[in-house]
Amino acid sequence: MSVQEYLDKHMLSRKIEDAVNAAVRAKTPDPVLFISNHMRKAVQAMITKIKARQILDSRGIPTVEVDLYTNKGMFRASVPSGNPNGMYEASELRDGDKGVYLGNSVTKAIKNINEKISEALIGMDPTLQNQIDQAMIDLDKTEKKLETQFNEDCIYPFKVIKKIKYVHQVPLYKHIADLSGKTIPMLPVPAFTVISGGKHAGNNLAIQEIMILPTGASRFEEALRMGSETYQHLKAVITEKYGAYGCNVGEDGGFAPNVSRQVEALDLVKEAISRTDYNEKIKIAIDIAATNFCIGTRYDLDFKSPQKSGQNFKSAEDMIELYKELCNEYPIISIEDPFDKEDWEHIKYFSSLELCQVVGGDLLMSNAKRIERAITESACNALLLKVNQVGTVTEVIEVVKQAKEAHWGMVTSHRCGETVDSFIADLAVGLASGQIKGGAPCRGERLEKYNQLLRIEEELGEDAVYAGEDIRQ
């Protein structure tokens, strides 16, 4: 393409003339700089280069980072990783060579990005999210990216939507709001992990995590302060009772004292809250992750204990009674995955009791068909949204619309293997999810999400709205 053809294609001759005229009207003392800035805004954005590399997530396991180059600059994104649940979510492509990173390398995914996906996307406008996502979906011919080379490790980091502020001249959260049709961004209530258990920690606690939600805060900044202070009080409570070794932390940054009973852990959190001035302003949520200790039709609450007595097996009916007792005794407003991911019967019954918000995590896996079934059968009333379970931003917006139309709550969630990418903070605000699950108020990869929410609230100023007690609106 000749220089003149390039100028004609992008209408640059006319744009250059407009820039010069604008500089004259502005009577700027530095016309060259003025024209340069004017042209940078006027020229259509275009992807010029894509470079993927292998990095490590917060667990020290390989994942993917991508540099996206446009004629406006270079932008970087990285993908987190969780514990894959199989056939209902986007798969992870691992190399499988046990001699390198124990089989967890992602060099095959890197190669696919640098060659096949790169070839498909170069020359496209990065602001056209639907077209970008469709181009990648077209490369992946299998439903939900199963057993394929184009999986979450390829597609998710291609959220070229990231840093759209510098291309599209609007903040990322605002761009997401525009894409989703949600015109009013909202700061979510953070669900801070304070005690870790299950597969996320080395103690004997069967349930996966206990979280605190500062629903009584007036702003996100206040909510973060409340969460941080309560977390520090909890550290003191645990130290007094179990010694300093009890303050070791799990994968998400929650403390992991060697407790085995749910009430023992909840009593610690309740005591920590009582040492603050917040009390009724802080509520509790628990992630049971019951699939991890379901054996047949029974639940083994001693599944991590080296001295199993065999006496702590619970039926689904027993678990329902347990949840009733916990909700009566503690300020619990949300329970995630109270039963096995295929136990639709009992989760439907439990949801009908309306004791608290019932969140579908493993039950739904952010899968549109599973969500549709759950809505039809009234199986739960909140969606745990994990972006890399879905694959693309466009598909994420569609499943969120499903949940919103059913008047569900929504929890935008991190993964156990995180990076310092803060994308889900903007996503939670733009989609007005009302809740964000980002881990403990410690560890850099968790705090980056919360710190980004601080920046967004500051940028919104008087227009900032905090979900507060309306977490499910």
Side-chain angles (χ1 to χ4, degrees):
M1 182 185 296
S2 69
V3 173
Q4 189 57 51
E5 287 174 333
Y6 181 85
L7 291 173
D8 292 342
K9 179 180 179 180
H10 297 283
M11 300 178 64
L12 290 183
S13 297
R14 175 62 181 274
K15 291 173 182 176
I16 291 171
E17 182 180 345
D18 290 344
V20 172
N21 291 335
V24 171
R25 289 194 300 272
K27 298 180 180 180
T28 174
D30 191 344
V32 174
L33 179 61
F34 182 94
I35 292 171
S36 175
N37 290 336
H38 190 96
M39 286 298 299
R40 187 168 63 251
K41 294 177 182 179
V43 175
Q44 178 183 1
M46 181 176 66
I47 298 173
T48 58
K49 179 182 175 182
I50 290 166
K51 173 63 178 176
R53 67 179 62 84
Q54 178 172 277
I55 63 170
L56 298 184
D57 68 20
S58 59
R59 301 170 299 176
I61 295 175
T63 189
V64 175
E65 179 178 80
V66 175
D67 291 346
L68 178 82
Y69 293 81
T70 75
N71 52 341
K72 304 277 185 172
M74 187 276 282
F75 313 103
R76 178 170 293 156
S78 55
V79 58
S81 181
N83 293 318
N85 282 304
M87 63 181 296
Y88 299 109
E89 64 175 307
S91 61
E92 290 187 352
L93 179 62
R94 302 286 179 178
D95 293 355
D97 182 353
K98 297 297 184 181
V100 181
Y101 283 112
L102 307 180
N104 290 315
S105 291
V106 290
T107 59
K108 292 178 182 178
I110 299 295
K111 186 173 187 291
N112 289 333
I113 296 171
N114 286 336
E115 296 177 4
K116 297 177 182 179
I117 291 182
S118 175
E119 180 181 354
L121 298 189
I122 286 178
M124 295 186 70
D125 182 343
T127 66
L128 301 178
Q129 191 68 36
N130 287 348
Q131 293 182 23
I132 293 287
D133 289 345
Q134 190 59 53
M136 292 186 290
I137 291 171
D138 289 344
L139 289 172
D140 180 0
K141 302 302 181 183
T142 61
E143 182 181 3
K144 296 313 297 173
K145 297 159 278 296
L146 304 179
E147 299 177 1
T148 172
Q149 61 184 344
F150 298 109
N151 54 59
E152 64 157 343
D153 280 337
C154 288
I155 292 180
Y156 180 78
F158 266 98
K159 49 186 190 300
V160 293
I161 187 174
K162 182 174 167 64
K163 304 295 186 185
I164 206 81
K165 174 176 185 174
Y166 300 104
V167 176
H168 207 42
Q169 302 304 312
V170 297
L172 176 53
Y173 61 85
K174 178 62 168 63
H175 183 64
I176 293 171
D178 292 341
L179 287 174
S180 68
K182 180 69 178 177
T183 57
I184 304 175
M186 177 181 291
L187 276 299
V189 173
F192 297 111
T193 303
V194 291
I195 288 188
S196 296
K199 289 188 174 181
H200 287 181
N203 54 14
N204 292 330
L205 187 63
I207 66 173
Q208 190 152 282
E209 58 189 319
I210 298 174
M211 295 159 280
I212 56 171
L213 286 75
T215 57
S218 58
R219 306 178 69 247
F220 180 81
E221 182 181 19
E222 182 185 9
L224 184 59
R225 174 188 167 188
M226 292 166 70
S228 175
E229 291 179 0
T230 306
Y231 184 81
Q232 297 303 325
H233 279 296
L234 179 59
K235 182 177 182 180
V237 171
I238 293 173
T239 301
E240 291 167 12
K241 188 164 185 177
Y242 300 98
Y245 71 90
C247 293
N248 291 332
V249 299
E251 288 183 343
D252 298 344
F255 296 117
N258 197 22
V259 297
S260 58
R261 297 174 63 244
Q262 293 73 34
V263 293
E264 190 176 0
L266 286 164
D267 282 342
L268 294 172
V269 176
K270 190 175 181 180
E271 171 62 21
I273 294 173
S274 72
R275 295 189 183 188
T276 70
D277 295 327
Y278 307 125
N279 295 313
E280 298 300 320
K281 293 183 177 181
I282 296 180
K283 304 301 182 182
I284 294 176
I286 51 178
D287 177 7
I288 306 296
T291 297
N292 292 336
F293 54 91
C294 181
I295 302 174
T297 60
R298 297 194 300 168
Y299 296 88
D300 182 9
L301 293 176
D302 280 339
F303 87 103
K304 295 170 65 179
S305 174
Q307 289 89 32
K308 287 188 178 183
S309 64
Q311 302 300 310
N312 210 9
F313 280 96
K314 303 286 186 182
S315 67
E317 289 73 20
D318 293 333
M319 295 298 286
I320 289 173
E321 292 305 311
L322 173 62
Y323 299 144
K324 286 181 179 178
E325 293 172 8
L326 295 180
C327 288
N328 286 333
E329 183 66 24
Y330 304 95
I332 294 172
I333 61 171
S334 181
I335 295 180
E336 179 184 335
D337 288 326
F339 302 97
D340 179 72
K341 64 184 178 183
E342 299 301 339
D343 189 352
W344 292 83
E345 177 186 352
H346 288 100
I347 196 169
K348 282 191 291 185
Y349 174 72
F350 181 65
S351 295
S352 72
L353 300 177
E354 298 183 349
L355 295 174
C356 63
Q357 173 179 259
V358 181
V359 183
D362 293 339
L363 177 77
L364 304 176
M365 286 171 274
S366 306
N367 180 283
K369 291 182 178 180
R370 303 274 289 189
I371 295 169
E372 182 180 0
R373 177 181 175 183
I375 292 171
T376 301
E377 300 184 18
S378 300
C380 56
N381 54 31
L383 165 66
L384 187 76
L385 179 67
K386 295 179 177 178
V387 181
N388 67 334
Q389 286 185 327
V390 186
T392 65
V393 172
T394 300
E395 291 168 293
V396 163
I397 290 173
E398 289 306 309
V399 299
V400 167
K401 285 181 179 178
Q402 276 184 285
K404 294 278 189 179
E405 287 171 2
H407 305 290
W408 278 14
M410 197 178 80
V411 186
T412 302
S413 178
H414 65 159
R415 302 305 306 266
C416 56
E418 264 297 338
T419 74
V420 293
D421 195 308
S422 64
F423 174 70
I424 65 167
D426 284 83
L427 186 73
V429 174
L431 295 178
S433 67
Q435 304 165 70
I436 187 169
K437 183 177 175 181
C442 77
R443 299 184 55 160
E445 77 280 357
R446 314 293 162 181
L447 288 174
E448 184 55 33
K449 284 70 171 169
Y450 299 135
N451 289 337
Q452 175 64 2
L453 289 167
L454 283 177
R455 300 179 194 112
I456 293 173
E457 185 171 63
E458 179 183 273
E459 184 172 315
L460 285 170
E462 294 182 357
D463 294 329
V465 177
Y466 176 65
E469 295 179 355
D470 298 322
I471 59 172
R472 292 183 54 215
Q473 70 175 6

